[in-house]
């Protein structure tokens, strides 16, 4: 349905997106993962025709979107990262305006407004000014605006940033419903790994403007199928200990986490004994140990050497 | 375009304070600077003082349809000029006059011209009277001759004759202030474009089937209509509440206001192209608006300016041409021909600024 070919964007001398290839099939839910500055938003801006790529092409059903941006604009709904609403107007007035620019009029417009207000659960508060809404409610109206014209493709750029868990859960359920029940194609960017894991069929991982890995959740996790993750909570956190462990050839990766360290080791290598010896030697008290199969977060860490929120 | 335009009016309905405050400010400034409170029965009051046989001069001077001369004491005159309550006062002497001037006032020039004419005429009559046996008869004879002259010379100025009428000053202030404050209204509302680009609503609109030129047109037309409403309200308030009821050339007035607003909206677009942040615009707007108004003659008539550089600079200011054309249409009733040249300048100015402005804005984006 939608594909990009060697998509590149340069801002003066800075290469924001570096020749990415990417595709989406109709009805798919795609996750675009990457830390801040990875190039996700620039990629989305190019796909949605807001900015032109320096080189490369974007094709919708085989036709170039770069040459004819109106092609994608007619079938696209975009939920931007920021709350792109008129705060001094009510939710209803915002929806009415955005509906009008999508050429919706009269009864049809009213019907669509009530439909999306129901979907985001704000029917009762439609006459309230947006500036009086909570962050979560503003996010929901932000999404409602993108759904008003029933787009075939929905692009969501970190739609859950800075909101309470209840609103977040509501939004995730809503996106899943749109994808599964209405067959809407969704491109979802986030740096919350669990959101992407929950929602997306396939995932692209971006870093430094490039796609460094892609595939289904299972395919990506198989990158680390021969490894296991050991989480060690310790007191105090000793950088010297971690440096010593990094020098061990059998330990693949050591990273500091909140309460201690995360180690990736070959499956069945039985490194626990060695780790305990080292902690004792450094006078570090181990408060908890957990051995896990790799998560997408581990895959990301393995591929980029940093966490998503770095 | 219509949707964007309607949206802006919905937003205005929610926050009308700014526009209302600029209308009120215009009225207050005209009241303060134009001083419409000093007129008596439609006449401009001139304060005079003097000792001896001055009552006859006062009667002669008060034959004017324009000025009302009122006597005060010398001490009062000196005190009021000293404290700035009066810009000037007229000292009447039995056979002469002089002005006590505190600050320069263009109105004083026309008063002086009028007083000089009255004195000159009366002194000539007095001199002639000395040469005849019956002074009263010769006076009547001369008056009769003047009422039915052999030749009538009708003089008409090619360009406006500045301040031949006291109301010219009040119109100058009203027009100048209206055109000045409307710049603020337009610039402030154009800042919405930058605000929308920053909060993401602009991109949302661009991603819709609406074309970019339609979005720009929606904003620009809104500013234009708003400016028209503001100037219209101010003019109507002064016409129906404060007696600024000259007969005006309606169509040239409307066309001039339209051309002026187009020039200012375009200038606003140019500033949007130059400044990328709302804070920058908030700093630039007052400098440009006030600088342009000062140089262009909104605060004082350009006839009172003698500095060659200032006059040269004023020729690049759209407000100068707006005032010039509106005075032609509203005060001197000189018809369309008199406003064509200023309108041509305003349109040219607008086209250039709009072209550069939109170009800069789009280039910044890319």
């Amino acid at each position: 349905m939608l594909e990009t070919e060697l998509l590149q964007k340069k801002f003066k001398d800075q290469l924001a997106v570096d020749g990415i290839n990417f595709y989406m099939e109709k009805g798919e839910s795609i996750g675009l993962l990457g830390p801040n500055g990875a190039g996700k938003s620039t990629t989305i801006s190019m796909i949605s025709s807001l900015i032109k790529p320096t080189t490369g092409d974007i094709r919708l059903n085989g036709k170039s979107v770069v040459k004819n941006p109106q092609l994608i604009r007619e079938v696209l709904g975009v939920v931007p990262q920021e709350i792109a609403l008129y705060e001094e107007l009510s939710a209803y007035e915002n929806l009415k305006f955005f509906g009008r620019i999508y050429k919706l009029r009269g009864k049809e417009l009213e019907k669509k407004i009530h439909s999306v207000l129901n979907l985001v659960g704000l029917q009762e508060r439609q006459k309230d000014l947006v500036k009086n809404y909570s962050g979560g409610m503003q996010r929901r109206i932000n999404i409602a605006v993108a759904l008003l014209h029933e787009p075939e493709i929905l692009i969501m750029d970190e739609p859950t940033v800075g909101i309470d868990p209840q609103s977040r859960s509501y939004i995730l359920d809503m996106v899943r419903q749109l994808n599964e029940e209405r067959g809407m194609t969704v491109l979802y960017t986030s740096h919350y790994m669990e959101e992407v894991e929950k929602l997306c069929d396939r995932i692209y991982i971006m870093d430094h403007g490039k796609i460094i890995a892609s595939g289904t959740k299972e395919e990506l996790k198989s990158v680390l199928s021969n490894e296991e993750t050991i989480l060690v909570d310790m007191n105090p956190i000793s950088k010297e200990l971690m440096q010593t462990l990094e020098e061990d050839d059998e330990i693949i990766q050591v990273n500091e986490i909140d309460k201690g360290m995360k180690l990736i080791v070959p499956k069945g290598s039985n490194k626990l004994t060695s780790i305990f010896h080292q902690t004792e030697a450094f006078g570090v008290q181990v408060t908890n140990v957990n051995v896990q199969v790799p998560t997408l977060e581990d895959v990301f860490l393995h591929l980029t050497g940093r966490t998503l929120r770095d | 375009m219509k949707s964007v335009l309607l949206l802006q009016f919905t937003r205005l309905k929610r926050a009308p304070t700014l526009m209302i405050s600029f209308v009120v400010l215009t009225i207050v400034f005209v009241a303060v600077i134009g001083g419409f409170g000093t007129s008596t029965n439609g006449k401009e009051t001139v304060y005079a003082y003097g000792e001896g046989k001055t009552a006859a001069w006062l009667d002669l001077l008060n034959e004017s349809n324009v000025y009302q001369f009122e006597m005060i004491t010398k001490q009062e005159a000196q005190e009021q000029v000293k404290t700035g309550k009066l810009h000037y006062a007229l000292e009447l002497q039995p056979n002469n006059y002089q002005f006590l001037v505190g600050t320069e006032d263009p109105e004083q020039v026309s008063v002086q011209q009028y007083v000089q004419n009255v004195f000159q005429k009366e002194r000539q009559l007095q001199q002639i009277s000395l040469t005849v046996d019956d002074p009263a008869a010769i006076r009547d004879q001369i008056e009769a001759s003047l009422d039915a002259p052999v030749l009538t010379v009708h003089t008409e100025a090619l360009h406006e004759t500045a301040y031949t009428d006291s109301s010219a000053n009040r119109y100058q202030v009203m027009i100048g202030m209206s055109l000045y404050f409307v710049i603020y209204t337009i610039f402030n509302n154009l800042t919405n474009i930058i605000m929308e680009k920053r909060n993401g609503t602009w991109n949302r609109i661009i991603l819709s089937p609406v074309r970019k030129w339609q979005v720009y047109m929606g904003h620009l037309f809104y500013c234009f209509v708003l400016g028209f409403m503001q100037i219209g309200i101010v003019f109507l308030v002064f016409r129906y509440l404060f007696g600024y009821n000259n007969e005006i050339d309606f169509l040239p007035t409307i066309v001039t206001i339209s051309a002026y607003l187009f020039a200012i909206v375009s200038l606003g677009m140019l500033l949007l192209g130059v400044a990328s942040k709302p804070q920058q615009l908030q700093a630039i707007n007052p400098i440009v608006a006030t600088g342009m108004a000062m140089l262009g003659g909104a605060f004082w008539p350009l006839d009172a300016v003698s500095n060659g550089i200032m006059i040269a600079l004023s020729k690049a200011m759209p407000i100068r041409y707006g005032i010039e054309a509106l005075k032609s249409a509203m005060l001197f009733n000189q018809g369309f021909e008199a406003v064509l040249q200023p309108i041509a300048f305003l349109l040219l100015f607008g086209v250039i600024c709009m072209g550069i402005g939109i170009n800069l804005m789009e280039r910044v984006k890319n």
Side-chain angles (χ1 to χ4, degrees):
Chain A
M1 183 183 195
L2 184 77
E3 59 183 334
T4 72
E5 185 187 320
L6 291 169
L7 203 60
Q8 190 189 69
K9 184 68 189 177
K10 263 186 184 176
F11 293 107
K12 292 184 179 171
D13 294 332
Q14 199 189 345
L15 196 58
V17 175
D18 187 7
I20 64 168
N21 291 310
F22 163 101
Y23 75 93
M24 286 170 77
E25 296 294 351
K26 190 171 171 57
E28 260 193 320
S29 177
I30 302 291
L32 192 56
L33 270 175
N36 289 331
K40 303 187 300 286
S41 292
T42 309
T43 303
I44 283 179
S45 294
M46 285 190 286
I47 290 173
S48 56
S49 79
L50 266 179
I51 57 173
K52 278 192 172 178
T54 309
T55 58
D57 200 4
I58 303 153
R59 280 190 287 268
L60 178 71
N61 299 323
K63 291 178 184 165
S64 173
V65 168
V66 178
K67 286 178 189 160
N68 187 2
Q70 284 304 118
L71 276 179
I72 196 151
R73 288 177 187 178
E74 283 164 15
V75 297
L76 189 69
V78 177
V79 181
Q81 202 175 114
E82 64 272 28
I83 305 291
L85 299 168
Y86 297 100
E87 289 191 336
E88 69 274 32
L89 303 185
S90 67
Y92 175 83
E93 285 167 331
N94 269 283
L95 289 165
K96 192 169 182 180
F97 165 68
F98 284 108
R100 284 180 65 88
I101 62 173
Y102 277 94
K103 295 176 180 159
L104 298 170
R105 296 284 185 277
K107 283 182 183 171
E108 190 192 6
L109 175 60
E110 290 297 323
K111 197 177 141 195
K112 294 269 169 71
I113 289 174
H114 291 301
S115 163
V116 291
L117 280 169
N118 263 333
L119 188 70
V120 298
L122 288 171
Q123 183 78 275
E124 301 295 315
R125 299 200 53 186
Q126 57 175 302
K127 299 286 180 192
D128 291 3
L129 302 186
V130 169
K131 65 181 172 191
N132 295 333
Y133 280 0
S134 69
M137 288 158 79
Q138 288 181 347
R139 287 265 164 211
R140 282 193 257 168
I141 290 293
N142 208 29
I143 295 170
V145 168
L147 298 173
L148 203 57
H149 60 291
E150 294 181 355
E152 287 177 40
I153 303 171
L154 181 66
I155 295 182
M156 307 181 90
D157 191 1
E158 309 204 13
T160 58
V161 169
I163 58 171
D164 57 286
Q166 197 185 352
S167 292
R168 194 172 163 204
S169 171
Y170 192 100
I171 289 171
L172 295 180
D173 289 343
M174 187 172 69
V175 176
R176 178 178 279 183
Q177 186 190 343
L178 288 168
N179 176 242
E180 289 176 357
E181 293 175 16
R182 299 194 189 182
M184 201 175 276
T185 310
V186 178
L187 175 59
Y188 193 96
T189 83
S190 177
H191 50 231
Y192 292 112
M193 193 68 75
E194 60 278 17
E195 289 184 1
V196 174
E197 275 201 83
K198 187 177 175 185
L199 288 175
C200 302
D201 307 322
R202 281 193 303 118
I203 296 161
Y204 288 88
I205 297 180
M206 280 190 82
D207 196 28
H208 299 301
K210 289 183 175 171
I211 289 177
I212 54 173
S214 65
T216 61
K217 281 172 272 189
E218 291 68 31
E219 282 169 346
L220 285 173
K221 283 179 188 172
S222 72
V223 171
L224 295 178
S225 60
N226 295 322
E227 286 93 30
E228 59 191 10
T229 304
I230 304 173
L231 298 172
V232 181
D233 291 353
M234 58 188 180
N235 188 20
I237 294 172
S238 167
K239 296 210 186 289
E240 292 79 17
L241 168 65
M242 287 190 270
Q243 273 172 6
T244 307
L245 290 169
E246 264 181 341
E247 285 162 14
D248 187 330
D249 290 340
E250 282 193 278
I251 296 176
I252 298 164
Q253 206 170 47
V254 182
N255 287 94
E256 188 180 331
I257 56 171
D258 278 354
K259 291 178 182 172
M261 60 184 172
K262 179 188 259 189
L263 301 100
I264 296 175
V265 297
K267 199 176 257 181
S269 61
N270 198 18
K271 292 302 294 179
L272 277 176
T273 316
S274 159
I275 290 166
F276 281 128
H277 279 140
Q278 290 292 353
T279 52
E280 201 176 337
F282 278 87
V284 172
Q285 189 189 355
V286 175
T287 55
N288 191 26
V289 177
N290 192 0
V291 181
Q292 296 180 332
V293 289
T295 62
L296 275 179
E297 188 89 44
D298 299 325
V299 174
F300 189 84
L301 193 67
H302 173 74
L303 291 168
T304 65
R306 53 195 176 130
T307 66
L308 270 167
R309 288 168 195 82
D310 277 350
Chain B
M1 182 189 131
K2 193 179 158 194
S3 303
V4 177
L5 181 67
L6 289 176
L7 171 80
Q8 301 309 321
F9 277 109
T10 312
R11 296 176 77 187
L12 174 68
K13 201 172 74 182
R14 282 283 149 78
T17 325
L18 195 69
M19 191 206 162
I20 293 170
S21 64
F22 282 132
V23 171
V24 172
L25 273 174
T26 312
I27 294 167
V28 170
F29 268 66
V30 175
V32 172
I33 300 174
F36 49 64
T38 60
S39 63
T40 308
N41 301 324
K43 291 182 181 181
E44 194 69 23
T45 306
V46 178
Y47 291 95
Y49 64 94
E51 289 165 359
K53 295 176 179 175
T54 55
W57 286 118
L58 194 68
D59 291 341
L60 279 174
L61 289 169
N62 275 333
E63 284 174 9
S64 163
N65 293 324
V66 178
Y67 302 110
Q68 173 74 35
F69 289 82
E70 283 184 14
M71 291 300 282
I72 53 174
T73 66
K74 186 175 182 180
Q75 286 75 17
E76 278 175 334
Q78 286 175 335
E79 186 60 27
Q80 291 200 33
V81 170
K82 193 176 165 186
T83 55
K85 288 177 184 168
L86 287 177
H87 292 174
Y88 63 91
L90 171 68
E91 182 185 351
L92 293 173
Q93 297 162 2
N95 289 312
N96 209 344
Y97 68 90
Q98 62 179 12
F99 278 91
L100 179 65
V101 178
T103 51
E104 271 189 43
D105 185 345
E107 188 66 25
Q108 189 252 330
V109 178
S110 50
V111 173
Q112 186 172 351
Q113 202 173 12
Y114 169 70
V115 175
Q116 187 184 330
N117 284 340
V118 171
F119 266 79
Q120 199 174 340
K121 185 182 164 192
E122 181 56 24
R123 292 289 291 142
Q124 280 173 346
L125 285 171
Q126 284 174 1
Q127 289 300 314
I128 293 166
S129 303
L130 291 175
T131 61
V132 295
D133 297 333
D134 187 357
I138 193 75
R139 269 184 182 267
D140 291 342
Q141 205 177 332
I142 290 170
E143 290 294 338
S145 302
L146 285 173
D147 286 344
V150 180
L151 286 171
T152 304
V153 179
H154 179 68
T155 54
E156 192 174 326
L158 281 174
H159 298 289
E160 65 180 79
T161 317
Y163 310 106
T164 52
D165 188 324
S166 68
S167 66
N169 185 40
R170 298 210 304 274
Y171 267 87
Q172 155 81 29
V173 175
M174 181 191 71
I175 294 168
M177 285 300 123
S178 304
L179 299 193
Y180 169 56
F181 280 108
V182 84
I183 300 175
Y184 276 99
T185 304
I186 290 173
F187 283 3
N188 274 311
N189 280 285
L190 281 176
T191 309
N192 282 348
I193 294 181
I194 284 200
M195 298 300 283
E196 289 199 17
K197 286 189 174 182
R198 286 173 79 84
N199 70 19
T201 46
W202 180 269
N203 281 348
R204 254 198 155 139
I205 300 169
I206 295 299
L207 286 177
S208 75
V210 176
R211 305 278 176 172
K212 198 183 276 181
W213 69 264
Q214 291 175 310
V215 186
Y216 275 122
M217 281 301 291
H219 278 278
L220 300 183
F221 193 58
Y222 166 71
C223 289
F224 181 88
V225 173
L226 200 64
F228 222 109
M229 280 166 57
Q230 184 173 319
I231 292 177
I233 290 169
V234 172
F235 283 3
L236 288 174
V237 164
F238 278 95
R239 184 171 182 85
Y240 292 108
L241 297 183
F242 298 120
Y244 284 57
N245 46 10
N246 269 22
E247 196 175 311
I248 63 168
D249 287 342
F250 189 72
L251 198 58
T253 303
I254 298 289
V255 176
T256 303
I257 294 172
S258 306
Y260 175 75
L261 291 173
F262 170 66
I264 297 302
V265 168
S266 303
L267 180 64
M269 287 298 285
L270 178 63
L271 295 181
L272 285 184
V274 174
S276 54
K277 293 177 184 167
Q279 294 88 336
Q280 288 174 334
L281 271 177
Q282 278 158 8
I284 292 173
N285 287 350
I287 296 170
V288 174
T290 309
M292 204 161 66
M294 288 170 84
L295 289 169
F299 297 152
W300 48 76
L302 288 172
D303 309 79
V305 178
S306 53
N307 186 310
I309 297 170
M310 299 272 275
I311 290 172
L313 285 172
S314 77
K315 288 179 181 168
M317 303 296 142
I319 199 166
R320 174 200 166 119
Y321 298 94
I323 293 171
E324 196 178 298
L326 283 178
K327 276 165 71 180
S328 296
M330 297 176 75
L331 196 58
F332 305 114
N333 302 106
Q334 291 171 321
F336 241 121
E337 280 178 21
V339 299
L340 279 180
Q341 200 179 344
I343 286 174
F345 172 85
L346 290 170
L347 293 178
L348 179 68
F349 183 91
V351 168
I352 293 170
C353 288
M354 185 69 79
I356 299 172
I358 290 184
N359 209 296
L360 281 175
M361 283 179 80
E362 290 305 304
R363 191 183 299 171
V364 166
K365 194 193 159 210
N366 289 326

